[in-house]
Amino acid sequence: MVDRSALASVLQLGFSRATGPRKIVVETVVAWEGHFSAEELCRSLPQVGRATVYRTLASLQEEGVICRLMIDGRAPRYLLGGTQHHHHMVCTQCGAVQDIADCGVDDFVDTVAERFGYELDGHRLEIYGRCSTCVGGEGASS
Amino acid sequence: MVDRSALASVLQLGFSRATGPRKIVVETVVAWEGHFSAEELCRSLPQVGRATVYRTLASLQEEGVICRLMIDGRAPRYLLGGTQHHHHMVCTQCGAVQDIADCGVDDFVDTVAERFGYELDGHRLEIYGRCSTCVGGEGASS
DNA sequence: CACCAATTGAGACTTTATCTCAGGAGTGGT
DNA sequence: ACCACTCCTGAGATAAAGTCTCAATTGGTG
């Protein structure tokens, strides 16, 4: 889904140099299966400084390579693919996250913004539920 | 909007005793204008222990007296009135928050959950923009 | 009023994140 | 290929937010 050949250009991010540490972080992020927290990334890349990991994540988010997902009170989690507008369907049991590509709430959002006299910036929709695996698997082990 | 006469029953929350400190926290929360963070509440109630403030906030949220609002990477903020399902329209400039009472996205949410085979738990929609005051006031001071 | 269990709160601890600044490493010019 | 110049890195200090512990306190009951 993500254009991994664009890696080279992405390495520059908002910076003027394509450095080694950043290469490691970006490659790890791009290869990551599922979502991750900043601390998880730090832990799996002990050879890269925590500050660099956080800086790179911030840039990747700004560039739209990854998007940040807030689940309840937990630390933010990151996912590949933030460029195009989308939403998330989160499994509250196993933590699986599905991208919802089509935004079906634009009209409603427009209406609300107009009603309150707001100049629209954006919106965020997250749907919570239990995925078919978790629903289907329940009771099987008891 | 919130039934403040229900305060007495709310004081019990999930606990078995209506204590003094909890009374202070609940009364402060109910009287609070706008939204607040846990730390702000702690700071304005130095006579109540931090642990008690956090415990009471958690109970109030569970009981639906307040709802938690996550704005970007900042600490969660709390608002009165979480009982009935609703959403928020947040001003990215001044931080004002409007409640959106009617949920216009139920159909879309149902459709998506069905498409992914999820058993629906709930959803969260937040709309970001700049309120009429912030839009209107801009340039006035420059 | 006394008793006892529920609750409190000071402060230690954890987790997550940001900041600082000396040293290291890309990059362009030669 | 090398140098120099500047940007970037990273160890560790600091900050922010929240949880946990346990002795002391207190509300509710008989």
Side-chain angles (χ1 to χ4, degrees):
Chain A
M1 200 57 89
V2 171
D3 181 8
R4 298 183 184 211
S5 68
L7 230 180
S9 70
V10 140
L11 273 173
Q12 293 284 348
L13 302 171
F15 299 83
S16 59
R17 289 178 186 174
T19 65
R22 198 150 55 230
K23 223 170 287 187
I24 296 174
V25 175
V26 173
E27 276 164 9
T28 306
V29 165
V30 168
W32 200 286
E33 295 291 325
H35 46 97
F36 56 92
S37 69
E39 289 299 319
E40 278 166 16
L41 192 55
C42 284
R43 256 175 267 135
S44 73
L45 293 176
Q47 73 271 38
V48 178
R50 157 207 251 44
T52 300
V53 169
Y54 274 91
R55 272 188 295 245
T56 307
L57 277 181
S59 305
L60 282 171
Q61 199 197 340
E62 211 157 288
E63 302 285 320
V65 177
I66 56 177
C67 60
R68 170 194 270 167
L69 179 56
M70 308 292 287
I71 304 183
D72 195 46
R74 299 201 294 150
R77 305 195 66 77
Y78 298 88
L79 276 174
L80 265 186
T83 311
Q84 69 285 23
H85 178 72
H86 67 285
H87 300 297
H88 296 115
M89 166 106 239
V90 182
C91 177
T92 51
Q93 189 162 338
C94 71
V97 177
Q98 307 281 339
D99 279 3
I100 304 170
D102 58 316
C103 173
V105 301
D106 270 335
D107 287 346
F108 177 67
V109 167
D110 284 345
T111 307
V112 170
E114 194 173 334
R115 185 200 316 162
F116 287 112
Y118 274 54
E119 192 174 89
L120 205 54
D121 272 356
H123 64 274
R124 164 189 296 270
L125 172 67
E126 271 144 30
I127 307 181
Y128 303 97
R130 293 194 308 139
C131 70
S132 48
T133 307
C134 287
V135 171
E138 94 182 347
S141 59
S142 66
Chain B
M1 199 60 85
V2 170
D3 180 8
R4 300 187 182 205
S5 69
L7 230 180
S9 72
V10 139
L11 273 172
Q12 293 283 349
L13 301 171
F15 300 83
S16 60
R17 290 180 186 172
T19 65
R22 200 152 53 231
K23 223 170 286 187
I24 295 174
V25 174
V26 173
E27 277 165 9
T28 307
V29 164
V30 168
W32 199 287
E33 294 292 324
H35 47 96
F36 56 92
S37 70
E39 290 298 322
E40 278 165 16
L41 192 55
C42 284
R43 255 174 268 135
S44 72
L45 294 176
Q47 74 271 39
V48 178
R50 157 207 247 44
T52 300
V53 169
Y54 274 91
R55 273 188 296 243
T56 307
L57 278 181
S59 305
L60 283 170
Q61 199 196 339
E62 213 157 285
E63 302 286 319
V65 178
I66 56 176
C67 61
R68 170 194 269 165
L69 180 56
M70 309 290 289
I71 305 182
D72 196 46
R74 299 201 294 152
R77 305 195 67 77
Y78 298 89
L79 273 174
L80 265 188
T83 311
Q84 69 285 22
H85 177 72
H86 67 283
H87 299 297
H88 296 115
M89 167 105 240
V90 182
C91 176
T92 51
Q93 189 162 338
C94 70
V97 177
Q98 307 281 339
D99 280 4
I100 304 169
D102 57 317
C103 172
V105 302
D106 270 333
D107 288 346
F108 177 68
V109 167
D110 285 344
T111 307
V112 169
E114 194 174 335
R115 185 200 314 162
F116 286 113
Y118 274 55
E119 192 174 90
L120 205 52
D121 272 355
H123 64 273
R124 165 189 295 271
L125 172 66
E126 271 144 31
I127 307 181
Y128 303 96
R130 293 194 308 140
C131 70
S132 48
T133 308
C134 288
V135 171
E138 92 183 347
S141 59
S142 66

